[in-house]
Amino acid sequence: MGQLLGPYSIGSIYPCDANTTIMIAGLDAFDTSKMNRVQDSRLERYIGVDQLFAPPANEGAGSGYVPAVRFPNWLYCPRCRRMRYVQPNDTSNAIYCDNPACQAKTKHKTKLVPERFVVVCPRGHIDSFPVMQWVHGGEDHDPGDPNHVITRRTLGGSTTMGDIVYTCSCGAKRSLAGATQHGGLNRIGYHCTGREPWLDRVSSTPCDSTNEDLRVVIMGATNVSYADTVSSVLIPDAVDEKTKGVIGEQYESLCDMESKGLLDAALDMLSTSSKIAKQSLLLAYRMRKTQPTKDISEDEYLHEEYLTLKEARSSAKGEFEASMADPLAYNSPIINSYISRMTLVDTLTVTRALVGLSRLNPTANDGRPMRERRATLSRNPRLDWTLAIQTIGEGIFIEFDGDELSSWVVRPEVMGRIGIMQHNLDVARQKRNQEPKQLNPKYVALHTLSHLLILSISKVCGYSAASLRERIYCEKYLEEGSELFDDMHGLLIYTASQSGDGSLGGLVRAGKPGRFEDVLNDALNEALWCSDDPVCIESTGQGLDSCNLAACFNCCLVPETACEIGNKFLDRGLVVGTLDVPTIGLFGAELREA
């Protein structure tokens, strides 16, 4: 059920079969009593919840239930073509045509199929295509009105939207030509309804999206819904996760007992029932009481992991086991000069939690507070849990020399090239009415190198690129306060799975001396030339928001599951340089000389 944190998450459309499509309901509709707890107190504190639960498992009696509502709600008969609006709470497995003439002709009931077009709003709202308003030029009628029965026909003359024609029994008729164009719904004066079917509600405040913001798309399009997730590496702590979980469940009661002077007795009872040492429970309780109440920034959260990875602090419980490798042990001038630390992580526990959803743009939630992001998942603004999955695997952590990066980033040619990407980012954010952000060239270089390494490692370690993931430890944007983490410049490439496939050792072996040199050399040499060059290397903007330069599917892009930000902010020119100006690349001079 890991897809509940992927393509079929809360608010997404799931095709059960050719005749039935549903939308996954909000967290309020889930039954947590039949779901397993996921332990990661650090992640809980970061996203502002008290509990994490794994998605319902398809095991045991009564389990495996994922709540959903029917969507879209306009359906039609593939035989007689009559359309019908079905309420979201209709729980029938299939809806049948109720046209007597159709039944008499076919001698049996025909299953209705859903209209495949929906209206999507960048604010997260979604609704069925306004069939009644469209065919009547903006005039609305009750879908159950017997004087306005809609018929849907496909002419078959071409593959355009104009081939699909709605006809009303009142005589009104209109094709779908122009419906999917930018601002196409302006023709009928349609405004966003503010509908949130997965929460069974309409937004309490009018939506401020303009008609130009709305999109008519096919319900199976990837931009209909993006799962907003946050991942976390489970790092060693003075208290294990089981103990922190017990304290979390009893925290309010323990606070009350402490106010009455009965904390010692309460901990004695809890120690007996949980079979956990009293001192460990007391330490976990004190740590919980002294936790900071302010929101933790993404950089601050990553910095905790960064310090653990660079110092290879293994945990007593075996959730994190790592060892350091001396960069000087590698027979590579690039590794010796540019890499200050290598950590081989034999056991890595990763938790991924669902914190929201977005539509049309996968980065729409960037920079928003966690409370606002989580508000899209449930009707209850105080819901204290969310979905999460925990996986175990292995990884390679690489820390880069800060002095080398600092001397590279101030080169005029580097700043000139990153300026092109910065301009494209500014334009994209301005169109979405977002505050400007200053891109960090170090992040772009490390992120691109991470992709090159993923593609190279997948050739030798036994894992496909789709089974590998990245985690970049570097400020993405340069802003006030980010200088506190200016020493953070590393990357983690890991693999993890619920089945345990991530602990087979192939990835760690690829990072050992005698092997990693070939992996790195292959990655950089492959990046020197792309099969789409010179078009690719001379690009001034491609990919999402045109925020990639020299990066395409022939050289740098990886499967979406492998990249932490959707294949964005990539440029191999900043890693290996260009033919005209090799010094633009972090390793450009060394590679061109070689």
Side-chain angles (χ1 to χ4, degrees):
M1 300 302 292
Q3 292 190 37
L4 274 172
L5 276 79
Y8 299 121
S9 183
I10 306 297
S12 66
I13 301 173
Y14 179 76
C16 298
D17 53 42
N19 303 97
T20 308
T21 57
I22 57 175
M23 177 171 283
I24 308 301
L27 295 180
D28 311 85
F30 282 74
D31 183 2
T32 57
S33 66
K34 297 178 181 179
M35 297 161 63
N36 296 323
R37 182 83 183 271
V38 174
Q39 303 289 351
D40 193 328
S41 58
R42 194 174 74 97
L43 182 58
E44 290 172 354
R45 181 164 59 97
Y46 177 48
I47 63 180
V49 298
D50 294 333
Q51 301 175 94
L52 301 172
F53 286 98
N58 192 21
E59 299 173 0
S63 62
Y65 170 69
V66 176
V69 296
R70 187 178 295 278
F71 186 85
N73 305 110
W74 275 107
L75 294 83
Y76 66 93
C77 175
R79 292 186 180 272
C80 71
R81 301 295 174 178
R82 176 180 287 189
M83 300 194 75
R84 177 179 165 190
Y85 188 88
V86 180
Q87 296 301 322
N89 57 2
D90 190 316
T91 58
S92 307
N93 288 332
I95 306 295
Y96 294 91
C97 180
D98 56 1
N99 182 2
C102 181
Q103 294 180 22
K105 185 175 181 180
T106 60
K107 307 299 182 182
H108 66 272
K109 293 183 177 180
T110 303
K111 291 182 180 180
L112 301 185
V113 298
E115 174 57 272
R116 62 181 184 269
F117 300 103
V118 296
V119 180
V120 183
C121 167
R123 302 293 186 270
H125 308 132
I126 187 170
D127 207 347
S128 301
F129 183 78
V131 172
M132 196 65 75
Q133 296 100 308
W134 182 261
V135 73
H136 291 101
E139 184 180 348
D140 198 9
H141 297 280
D142 187 338
D145 188 341
N147 296 316
H148 295 281
V149 178
I150 306 296
T151 302
R152 180 191 192 276
R153 297 190 182 278
T154 303
L155 302 179
S158 66
T159 57
T160 65
M161 295 288 288
D163 245 9
I164 302 172
V165 179
Y166 293 143
T167 304
C168 182
S169 57
C170 71
K173 183 178 181 180
R174 188 173 193 173
S175 77
L176 281 180
T180 58
Q181 293 178 359
H182 204 70
L185 293 179
N186 272 339
R187 303 180 182 186
I188 59 172
Y190 180 89
H191 297 282
C192 177
T193 60
R195 190 179 172 204
E196 299 170 324
W198 69 99
L199 301 178
D200 189 26
R201 74 180 182 188
V202 174
S203 177
S204 58
T205 57
C207 180
D208 60 356
S209 292
T210 65
N211 289 354
E212 285 74 15
D213 293 332
L214 303 179
R215 294 289 183 275
V216 176
V217 299
I218 296 176
M219 63 180 177
T222 56
N223 64 348
V224 168
S225 180
Y226 296 101
D228 182 8
T229 62
V230 172
S231 60
S232 170
V233 174
L234 194 62
I235 62 178
D237 204 340
V239 178
D240 64 77
E241 288 299 319
K242 179 183 177 182
T243 304
K244 286 188 283 188
V246 170
I247 291 297
E249 294 171 358
Q250 303 296 327
Y251 181 68
E252 298 297 334
S253 298
L254 290 173
C255 288
D256 183 55
M257 297 297 280
E258 184 179 25
S259 66
K260 298 175 181 178
L262 300 173
L263 179 62
D264 192 64
L267 289 174
D268 281 332
M269 295 175 61
L270 190 57
S271 177
T272 302
S273 61
S274 64
K275 297 181 181 180
I276 298 175
K278 179 181 176 181
Q279 287 301 319
S280 296
L281 292 170
L282 178 60
L283 177 59
Y285 176 68
R286 295 301 184 203
M287 289 175 61
R288 175 67 182 265
K289 289 203 74 172
T290 57
Q291 283 180 356
T293 55
K294 70 177 183 66
D295 290 339
I296 305 172
S297 69
E298 181 182 9
D299 288 335
E300 184 179 354
Y301 191 76
L302 288 173
H303 197 255
E304 294 177 354
E305 296 177 12
Y306 178 75
L307 294 178
T308 298
L309 287 162
K310 68 181 292 185
E311 296 169 12
R313 297 200 307 257
S314 297
S315 64
K317 295 294 182 179
E319 300 140 334
F320 184 88
E321 297 177 357
S323 59
M324 295 176 60
D326 186 358
L328 296 178
Y330 294 82
N331 185 24
S332 168
I334 290 180
I335 296 177
N336 300 156
S337 301
Y338 289 91
I339 295 178
S340 58
R341 198 178 306 254
M342 291 277 295
T343 301
L344 305 180
V345 188
D346 295 288
T347 303
L348 185 74
T349 304
V350 179
T351 311
R352 191 156 58 99
L354 181 69
V355 296
L357 67 91
S358 64
R359 303 195 188 279
L360 299 180
N361 178 21
T363 62
N365 289 340
D366 282 3
R368 295 179 61 195
M370 285 292 177
R371 183 179 296 275
E372 290 184 15
R373 292 161 73 173
R374 291 192 294 108
T376 59
L377 298 180
S378 66
R379 296 171 62 96
N380 179 8
R382 297 185 178 180
L383 195 71
D384 65 349
W385 71 275
T386 190
L387 295 171
I389 57 174
Q390 201 162 68
T391 54
I392 299 176
E394 56 179 319
I396 302 171
F397 171 75
I398 307 169
E399 182 190 35
F400 292 85
D401 186 278
D403 293 336
E404 291 288 349
L405 284 171
S406 297
S407 62
W408 165 76
V409 80
V410 296
R411 297 174 189 169
E413 61 268 28
V414 173
M415 299 310 296
R417 188 166 178 86
I418 201 69
I420 301 172
M421 190 181 293
Q422 181 68 56
H423 171 74
N424 296 341
L425 175 63
D426 291 342
V427 171
R429 294 186 68 86
Q430 186 177 15
K431 287 181 179 178
R432 293 195 289 267
N433 296 317
Q434 295 176 320
E435 293 293 325
K437 294 274 192 179
Q438 184 181 352
L439 195 56
N440 186 358
K442 295 180 184 178
Y443 179 89
V444 178
L446 297 186
H447 186 211
T448 308
L449 179 60
S450 173
H451 279 222
L452 297 175
L453 287 173
I454 285 174
L455 295 172
S456 181
I457 289 173
S458 66
K459 300 176 184 178
V460 298
C461 77
Y463 298 112
S464 67
S467 65
L468 297 175
R469 291 180 179 271
E470 67 179 1
R471 199 156 173 80
I472 311 300
Y473 295 93
C474 182
E475 306 97 329
K476 191 180 305 171
Y477 302 111
L478 299 175
E479 50 193 345
E480 186 178 354
S482 66
E483 64 273 5
L484 296 174
F485 307 101
D486 193 47
D487 65 331
M488 187 169 63
H489 28 69
L491 61 89
L492 172 70
I493 296 174
Y494 68 95
T495 183
S497 69
Q498 291 173 293
S499 64
D501 290 343
S503 57
L504 299 177
L507 183 55
V508 166
R509 282 195 296 272
K512 291 183 176 181
R515 291 176 178 264
F516 189 68
E517 298 94 329
D518 292 337
V519 169
L520 180 60
N521 289 337
D522 178 69
L524 297 178
N525 287 326
E526 287 289 324
L528 287 172
W529 183 257
C530 169
S531 60
D532 201 29
D533 279 343
V535 175
C536 180
I537 197 66
E538 294 176 356
S539 171
T540 57
Q542 54 184 322
L544 183 63
D545 293 336
S546 296
C547 282
N548 292 337
L549 298 185
C552 69
F553 278 107
N554 296 319
C555 57
C556 287
L557 302 190
V558 297
E560 288 188 8
T561 54
C563 179
E564 66 176 10
I565 57 169
N567 277 320
K568 191 175 180 180
F569 300 143
L570 299 166
D571 177 26
R572 59 189 169 90
L574 289 179
V575 176
V576 299
T578 63
L579 290 174
D580 297 333
V581 191
T583 54
I584 286 179
L586 178 62
F587 312 117
E590 288 82 356
L591 290 171
R592 301 297 177 181
E593 290 174 2

